[in-house]
Amino acid sequence: MATYSSSLQASLGSKKACLVVLLAAACLLLSEPGTTSPRVGRAASLTARAGAQRPARGRASVPANLDQFIEVAERAGIHFSLTSGGPEKRYIIEAKGGGGAAWFDYNNDGFPDLFLVNGSTFEAWRQGTSPPSHLYRNNGDGTFTDVSKGSGLNHTGWGMGVCVGDYDNDGYDDLYVTYYGGNVLYHNNGNGTFTDVTDKAGVRGHGWGMGCAFGDTDNDGYLDLYVANYLDVDINHLGEPGSAPNCTYRGIATFCGPRGLPGGRDILFHNNRNGTFTDVTERAGIDPHAYSGLGVVMGDYDGDGRLDIYVANDSTPSSLYHNNGDGTFTDVGPQAGVAYSDEGQEQAGMGTDFADYDNDGWGDLVKGNFSDDTKNLYHNNRDGTFTDVTYQAGLGGAGWLFTTFGAKFLDYDNDGWKDIFLADGQTFPQMDRYPTGITYAERNLLFHNLGTQRGQVKFEEVGLRSGPGLAIKKVSRGLAVADYDNDGDLEIIVTNMNDSPDLLRHARKNLHHSIIIKTVGTRSNRDGLGAEIKVVADSLTQYDTVRSGGSYLSSSDLRLHFGLGATARVDRIEVHWPSGVTDVVKDLPADHILTVTEGQGVTASKAFHKGTL
């Protein structure tokens, strides 16, 4: 087992300083950085703690009116309207297309910026006059400035989704944007501008791109790219509403599909480490049945040290691609229990996310589906399988009539337990004309994690008492989260069809403590995507994985946020890097943004921003 001796000597030296001056900031260097261990050791440690008793929750009491959300997009300077077809949604691309959102710090000033993908109309798309997407620079004071002009982010078309990743390890995050008819890779030049390098990099793709995610699938230190393709259709020749059995819903004439239309095969691009990629889809065994892909997220669900891939497919079985470690993948969705509903039915999967909602050290899955169906909460059984616990956990009945696109795990109240936010909106405007109980515009759902009760984590839907921001009814699609003002609380961006986005933030400062961790890889990829982080604070231990993409066509802040409840210090943080290096840091103050650099431990610490609401 090798160690980085220089970092360890610095760590020991800093212990003396800590004892002398008793400053918490100096104690940040009390670390055990750079331990390297075989990845099998990570799996063994996960297995060892599988049977461990979870600590008591011990959540401090919080005023009932604390977590009230308000909508502040206009006030914050985000003036945007998502274009996606006409009001009647006569064709499927008008209802499913567009809505991607990404939080990413493009200028490395420490404040997450915002990119919003725009769609189109048939007329504009055919004429080449589709509206542009927009980049908003974070001003650091709760407001944003539209810096789209001159940024180089000037490709237009029928835009869909976006994901973030530093594919060339130059320290600046790049953007991949999906479109109908071919996607775009923007290289971040590091000076506030981007260059379209799609053809040079070889990642144009084909068909109808939707969700995407960066991740180092072979642990070579460079990010690969997965693209979910939806349907293999010519949008100039789609059936008319009501013209066939697959063009109706509940007997109402609607657009045609996706049932009855051919699916588009997903794509896996391998990073060649020279600025180019190779399409390895066929060789890797990805999507041989060409399912209708929408949301995609990566995570190591079985603890073997390799990133696996989960794809939420629409009206076809969803896919869990197990990484075999030799450049190939096997779809184990059916045997793992995440391909179908609890009743064994195909579902209209939309957005998805991967995180550990019960703090047992194993990543779980959430997935949004169409109305007249439950959403899915899949609990990781720690043996390569999952159990659908949607009803047992309290998500079943509340979401039955809602059509859920965006789906995201987040700790919105900083109590140390991940909650679930669902962004909802129907696809058929015609539903408003009939007494079905289903409406076109819908409110979004917020499920509060109540912790373990009799061996089962329970959630409660609290949207209706969580402030005016969650009483809004729109036709929502994209969903991404970030602490954009660096004050310790997560904010939420939701995009809405033919409407302005909702930027949701707390009406007042959360009383609970938290910590934010930014990962910087050296042997691993620069973003640290795939790094697994363990945070121990008092009696609570939490886990999360740095990931790109997820939700519905969106990408959240790559920094990881951990709520700490009433605990004002962190006992221990472990970062298990994709390379096999493990960094350990101890005795840290809460309410800080920490930068952990691979092999060096904590290299920067900054107290939370005391900005304005």
Side-chain angles (χ1 to χ4, degrees):
M1 181 178 290
T3 59
Y4 289 83
S5 58
S6 61
S7 297
L8 186 57
Q9 289 170 2
S11 172
L12 293 172
S14 68
K15 289 182 180 179
K16 278 186 185 176
C18 251
L19 291 171
V20 173
V21 299
L22 298 177
L23 290 176
C27 290
L28 291 173
L29 295 176
L30 285 174
S31 59
E32 302 166 16
T35 302
T36 305
S37 59
R39 295 301 286 169
V40 69
R42 169 65 176 149
S45 67
L46 286 169
T47 302
R49 73 166 173 262
Q53 181 68 33
R54 283 196 295 272
R57 179 163 187 170
R59 175 166 52 171
S61 61
V62 178
N65 64 346
L66 175 66
D67 295 302
Q68 300 289 296
F69 285 90
I70 56 176
E71 200 288 305
V72 298
E74 188 79 12
R75 189 170 80 190
I78 299 173
H79 308 292
F80 177 85
S81 183
L82 171 60
T83 300
S84 190
E88 286 298 307
K89 309 300 178 202
R90 294 178 60 82
Y91 306 100
I92 192 169
I93 193 169
E94 299 179 282
K96 294 289 182 70
W103 290 107
F104 77 123
D105 185 6
Y106 79 91
N107 55 1
N108 285 349
D109 67 353
F111 287 89
D113 310 294
L114 179 63
F115 181 76
L116 297 175
V117 181
N118 217 338
S120 191
T121 64
F122 276 101
E123 181 181 13
W125 180 72
R126 288 163 181 156
Q127 295 177 355
T129 57
S130 299
S133 300
H134 285 255
L135 176 65
Y136 293 92
R137 186 188 67 224
N138 191 330
N139 299 323
D141 60 1
T143 68
F144 295 79
T145 298
D146 190 336
V147 294
S148 307
K149 289 185 178 179
S151 69
L153 301 170
N154 50 19
H155 184 88
T156 60
W158 211 312
M160 301 293 161
V162 58
C163 53
V164 175
D166 182 3
Y167 76 89
D168 58 350
N169 291 336
D170 68 352
Y172 290 90
D173 280 326
D174 311 296
L175 281 181
Y176 189 77
V177 187
T178 60
Y179 288 84
Y180 173 83
N183 312 314
V184 177
L185 175 63
Y186 290 110
H187 178 259
N188 188 334
N189 300 321
N191 60 2
T193 69
F194 294 77
T195 298
D196 183 341
V197 295
T198 312
D199 293 327
K200 176 183 176 182
V203 291
R204 179 73 65 187
H206 53 79
W208 185 347
M210 292 296 274
C212 61
F214 283 100
D216 185 0
T217 61
D218 56 355
N219 291 340
D220 67 350
Y222 284 80
L223 296 178
D224 309 301
L225 174 63
Y226 191 99
V227 183
N229 277 332
Y230 189 38
L231 299 173
D232 185 13
V233 295
D234 179 354
I235 64 171
N236 286 305
H237 299 90
L238 294 172
E240 292 299 317
S243 61
N246 68 324
C247 309
T248 62
Y249 177 64
R250 286 191 171 202
I252 302 168
T254 62
F255 61 73
C256 301
R259 293 189 186 276
L261 299 177
R265 189 172 189 180
D266 297 352
I267 309 171
L268 178 61
F269 291 108
H270 178 257
N271 194 323
N272 299 323
R273 299 185 285 182
N274 61 2
T276 69
F277 293 76
T278 298
D279 183 340
V280 295
T281 306
E282 189 71 36
R283 184 168 75 237
I286 294 296
D287 200 20
H289 303 295
Y291 292 145
S292 303
L294 288 175
V296 56
V297 68
M298 295 190 188
D300 180 10
Y301 78 92
D302 58 351
D304 66 357
R306 297 185 290 267
L307 281 178
D308 310 295
I309 305 166
Y310 184 69
V311 183
N313 292 315
D314 189 357
S315 303
T316 51
S318 290
S319 298
L320 177 60
Y321 293 105
H322 177 259
N323 189 332
N324 299 321
D326 59 1
T328 68
F329 293 78
T330 301
D331 185 356
V332 297
Q335 51 267 49
V338 294
Y340 302 95
S341 71
D342 196 31
E343 293 78 24
Q345 300 296 315
E346 296 174 349
Q347 296 174 287
M350 309 292 187
T352 186
D353 197 18
F354 174 88
D356 178 15
Y357 74 82
D358 59 348
N359 292 334
D360 70 349
W362 297 78
D364 311 295
L365 288 165
V366 65
K367 178 166 67 74
N369 296 307
F370 203 72
S371 58
D372 290 333
D373 199 353
T374 65
K375 314 319 149 196
N376 297 122
L377 181 63
Y378 293 114
H379 178 258
N380 193 325
N381 298 326
R382 314 166 187 166
D383 61 0
T385 70
F386 294 76
T387 297
D388 189 335
V389 296
T390 305
Y391 275 103
Q392 299 95 306
L395 274 70
W400 183 263
L401 293 179
F402 292 81
T403 295
T404 296
F405 280 82
K408 185 67 184 169
F409 287 110
L410 76 165
D411 183 1
Y412 77 91
D413 58 347
N414 286 351
D415 68 350
W417 294 75
K418 292 179 179 61
D419 313 295
I420 297 173
F421 191 99
L422 303 180
D424 304 315
Q426 248 288 339
T427 60
F428 305 132
Q430 298 86 351
M431 300 307 297
D432 287 341
R433 303 170 193 164
Y434 300 89
T436 62
I438 298 174
T439 59
Y440 183 49
E442 299 174 334
R443 71 176 179 90
N444 298 319
L445 300 175
L446 177 62
F447 289 91
H448 182 226
N449 189 328
L450 303 177
T452 304
Q453 300 178 4
R454 297 181 180 178
Q456 169 70 56
V457 168
K458 298 289 187 180
F459 290 83
E460 179 186 11
E461 207 287 300
V462 296
L464 288 177
R465 61 176 191 266
S466 296
L470 287 180
I472 297 170
K473 291 185 177 181
K474 293 183 180 179
V475 186
S476 299
R477 293 294 183 263
L479 162 64
V481 303
D483 182 5
Y484 74 76
D485 54 1
N486 289 339
D487 70 346
D489 302 329
L490 288 176
E491 287 82 42
I492 303 166
I493 188 74
V494 179
T495 64
N496 301 296
M497 300 290 280
N498 302 98
D499 208 334
S500 59
D502 296 324
L503 180 60
L504 305 176
R505 61 162 307 140
H506 290 266
R508 57 186 62 84
K509 183 72 178 71
N510 194 308
L511 299 181
H512 283 157
H513 299 285
S514 62
I515 200 162
I516 292 173
I517 300 174
K518 177 182 178 179
T519 51
V520 178
T522 54
R523 290 172 55 182
S524 302
N525 66 86
R526 180 62 180 251
D527 283 326
L529 293 183
E532 297 169 334
I533 298 181
K534 174 183 177 181
V535 174
V536 181
D538 198 10
S539 63
L540 187 64
T541 300
Q542 303 175 62
Y543 308 85
D544 209 350
T545 302
V546 185
R547 57 197 183 279
S548 164
S551 186
Y552 183 70
L553 315 185
S554 298
S555 200
S556 293
D557 189 359
L558 298 184
R559 304 177 304 175
L560 292 186
H561 164 272
F562 294 88
L564 302 174
T567 303
R569 296 196 70 78
V570 177
D571 299 317
R572 180 183 180 93
I573 295 175
E574 297 178 12
V575 182
H576 300 269
W577 299 89
S579 66
V581 168
T582 295
D583 283 292
V584 179
V585 292
K586 299 177 180 178
D587 192 21
L588 310 166
D591 305 322
H592 278 68
I593 300 170
L594 305 178
T595 299
V596 180
T597 301
E598 185 176 14
Q600 302 173 39
V602 173
T603 54
S605 175
K606 183 177 181 181
F608 284 156
H609 186 60
K610 305 296 183 182
T612 57
L613 287 172

